[in-house]
Amino acid sequence: MSLYKRVLALNMKRRGKPMSATKLIAVIFFAIICVGTGLLMLPIASRDGSSCAFLKALFTATSATCVTGLTPFDTWSQWSGFGQAVLLMLIEIGGLGFMSAATLVIFLFRRKVGLKQRMIMAQALSLNEMNGVVKLQRTVLIGSLCMEAAGALILTCWFWPKYGFTTALRWGVFHSVSAFCNAGFDIFGELSPGSSLQMFRSDPVVLLTLGTLVVVGGLGFLVWEDIAEKRSFRKLTVYSKLVLSATASLLLIGWVLTCVMEWNNPQTLGGLSVGEKLLGGLFQSITLRTAGFDAMNQAGLTESSKAIFSVFMLIGGSSGSTAGGLKTVTVLVLLLFIASRARGRSTVTVYHRTIPNAQVMNAMTISLIMIVLALFGGIFISATSPIGFTDALFEAVSALGTVGLTAGATGLLSVPAQILIIIFMYFGRVGVLTISLGFLMGNQAVERFRYAETSLLIG
């Protein structure tokens, strides 16, 4: 063997097994958060010119990259123009996925997309195969930029007469990107610090524009492509039909429940006109899809509303979208399984198709993990911070579902609770996207032997 071949063989041996696509995505997301934390700690990033504390910078960078929206302070009051630009960059990368940004560079320089890049794209977009992944990624980029541009244009034109062109353009771009990526960050603190969208709760143009961006961003990139190609609900794939049906049902149910439970609550919808109440109820239902914009005082919600809204936040948006949470189809598959078992059936069917048992088990596994984590988070936060259990659970679910709504608990979190929320936000965005997908799609261990079966009493 020549010296060159020996060196090459030794180098390959040292390199070991290459990192899987799912692990690579998790590592790169973590690296992006670290870079964002460093940038936010720079004095130029803060409005008062002082360096932000490490934990608060890490909390904010994680929230932005994981498109959550939870923050220990008002965005406009704390961050300068440079800091807001950093947040916008993190939101865009986190919402569309770092592979979208990388693919944009590849497309601009007309580089060839290799097999490894295709694998990472498929994982980042929650696809089970690589067929057509480059075409879908191109659709994601073009569609996302067009939707964000359209939203920015509408908001800029609406704000311009009252607030001037510069402010209108800055608000239009920032909030369009934040809404489409389901991030929930806002810079309206320039008008009233900490009030989010509450000063626009009677403005249908602002709320409906942002609400539309939230819904479109939360549908999922695969559904976009399917709608663009088929242009008929009957011709859509079973997955697209389930996503659209589940999204419409959740929005309608959330709208009705919000209006019913908060109609006479003076701290939320009670003091508004009928039209404003209906608009506020609709936007609240939309923002529960992991958007995190606050058009009504979440701290003033009734206890029953907080409990029900926690369920909606945990469900979240759809797979392969800018939204987080359990995902709509995951929950729908779980409900279909329960309905099938209740009727004595061993298979789950929908739209004249049978759902594989492996996918049903995957849905049950992810759901159980998220529910257990949410309960643990609520208990841990209430035990370590001066926060009641309902508000603590609301906060934990908001972080896990990457929603960003808070009942006023974020500023009261203890250091251990803040660290837990950071972990929850990371897992809610990256973990559900890659870690859970990785072990659910991985090769199953070979069973060398099986124990004898036994019967148990269930129920």
Side-chain angles (χ1 to χ4, degrees):
M1 182 182 292
S2 64
L3 179 61
Y4 171 76
K5 290 183 177 180
R6 289 180 180 179
V7 173
L8 182 61
L10 180 62
N11 182 48
M12 292 298 294
K13 184 177 180 181
R14 288 181 176 178
R15 288 176 63 182
K17 185 179 179 180
M19 184 178 294
S20 66
T22 52
K23 291 181 180 179
L24 184 59
I25 289 176
V27 170
I28 294 181
F29 255 95
F30 179 74
I32 293 172
I33 292 173
C34 291
V35 172
T37 301
L39 292 175
L40 291 178
M41 289 181 67
L42 296 175
I44 192 177
S46 296
R47 185 166 296 280
D48 59 4
S50 61
S51 179
C52 180
F54 169 74
L55 185 59
K56 293 187 180 299
L58 175 63
F59 191 103
T60 306
T62 304
S63 182
T65 308
C66 298
V67 289
T68 305
L70 291 175
T71 176
F73 27 56
D74 178 72
T75 301
W76 184 86
S77 302
Q78 171 63 30
W79 306 113
S80 63
F82 174 80
Q84 293 171 24
V86 170
L87 290 178
L88 194 64
M89 176 190 66
L90 294 176
I91 290 170
E92 189 75 278
I93 294 175
L96 301 184
F98 72 90
M99 272 311 299
S100 295
T103 307
L104 178 60
V105 175
I106 292 173
F107 288 159
L108 290 176
F109 288 93
R110 298 185 178 181
R111 300 286 184 179
K112 185 178 180 180
V113 182
L115 178 61
K116 186 174 182 179
Q117 285 76 23
R118 291 172 186 266
M119 290 176 61
I120 298 175
M121 287 181 192
Q123 294 284 359
L125 293 172
S126 299
L127 301 180
N128 296 331
E129 55 185 22
M130 293 183 290
N131 294 335
V133 66
V134 177
K135 178 184 176 182
L136 177 58
Q137 189 71 74
R138 186 181 289 110
T139 302
V140 169
L141 286 169
I142 297 175
S144 300
L145 295 176
C146 289
M147 287 299 302
E148 290 174 349
L153 179 62
I154 294 174
L155 293 174
T156 299
C157 292
W158 183 250
F159 290 135
W160 189 353
K162 188 173 182 179
Y163 301 104
F165 177 74
T166 302
T167 299
L169 179 63
R170 179 161 46 86
W171 285 1
V173 172
F174 189 96
H175 296 102
S176 179
V177 172
S178 183
F180 182 79
C181 292
N182 279 226
F185 278 85
D186 72 272
I187 52 175
F188 289 129
E190 189 171 355
L191 298 177
S192 177
S195 62
S196 189
L197 297 181
Q198 293 181 34
M199 72 284 290
F200 298 108
R201 61 183 181 179
S202 302
D203 192 327
V205 174
V206 174
L207 295 188
L208 293 180
T209 300
L210 294 179
T212 301
L213 290 170
V214 169
V215 172
V216 173
L219 285 178
F221 307 127
L222 194 61
V223 177
W224 295 1
E225 185 183 47
D226 199 23
I227 293 175
E229 291 181 354
K230 307 294 178 54
R231 299 184 181 182
S232 171
F233 184 83
R234 295 182 60 183
K235 297 179 181 179
L236 295 178
T237 63
V238 173
Y239 174 75
S240 297
K241 290 179 180 178
L242 290 177
V243 167
L244 294 175
S245 300
T247 301
S249 299
L250 288 170
L251 289 176
L252 180 59
I253 295 172
W255 186 9
V256 172
L257 289 178
T258 301
C259 291
V260 169
M261 295 186 298
E262 299 295 326
W263 191 268
N264 295 318
N265 185 353
Q267 298 187 58
T268 53
L269 299 178
L272 304 179
S273 64
V274 174
E276 292 172 343
K277 289 180 179 181
L278 293 175
L279 178 62
L282 174 61
F283 190 80
Q284 176 71 8
S285 180
I286 292 174
T287 200
L288 293 174
R289 304 266 57 74
T290 81
F293 287 114
D294 183 2
M296 68 170 65
N297 179 23
Q298 304 298 310
L301 295 171
T302 62
E303 294 294 300
S304 57
S305 294
K306 292 177 184 177
I308 293 177
F309 291 165
S310 294
V311 175
F312 279 85
M313 290 192 296
L314 196 61
I315 295 173
S318 302
S319 299
S321 71
T322 60
L326 274 173
K327 305 298 187 295
T328 52
V329 172
T330 301
V331 176
L332 195 54
V333 168
L334 189 61
L335 294 176
L336 289 171
F337 169 75
I338 295 173
S340 296
R341 297 299 291 178
R343 289 182 290 178
R345 297 180 179 178
S346 58
T347 59
V348 180
T349 59
V350 62
Y351 291 117
H352 307 292
R353 294 292 186 272
T354 299
I355 302 174
N357 288 330
Q359 292 193 345
V360 175
M361 293 303 297
N362 292 347
M364 293 178 64
T365 302
I366 295 177
S367 300
L368 183 61
I369 290 174
M370 292 285 280
I371 292 172
V372 170
L373 286 176
L375 291 175
F376 168 77
I379 294 171
F380 183 86
I381 292 173
S382 62
T384 59
S385 306
I387 303 169
F389 177 73
T390 304
D391 290 345
L393 181 63
F394 193 90
E395 193 83 4
V397 170
S398 182
L400 267 179
T402 67
V403 182
L405 291 176
T406 178
T410 306
L412 303 175
L413 295 175
S414 63
V415 172
Q418 290 182 49
I419 295 174
L420 181 68
I421 291 296
I422 291 173
I423 296 173
F424 273 16
M425 289 189 293
Y426 181 81
F427 181 83
R429 181 59 178 167
V430 183
V432 175
L433 178 67
T434 60
I435 300 175
S436 298
L437 187 63
F439 80 76
L440 289 174
M441 292 177 60
N443 295 327
Q444 295 183 353
V446 178
E447 297 182 0
R448 300 182 182 274
F449 60 89
R450 302 183 71 177
Y451 291 107
E453 293 183 354
T454 184
S455 298
L456 302 175
L457 295 177
I458 303 297

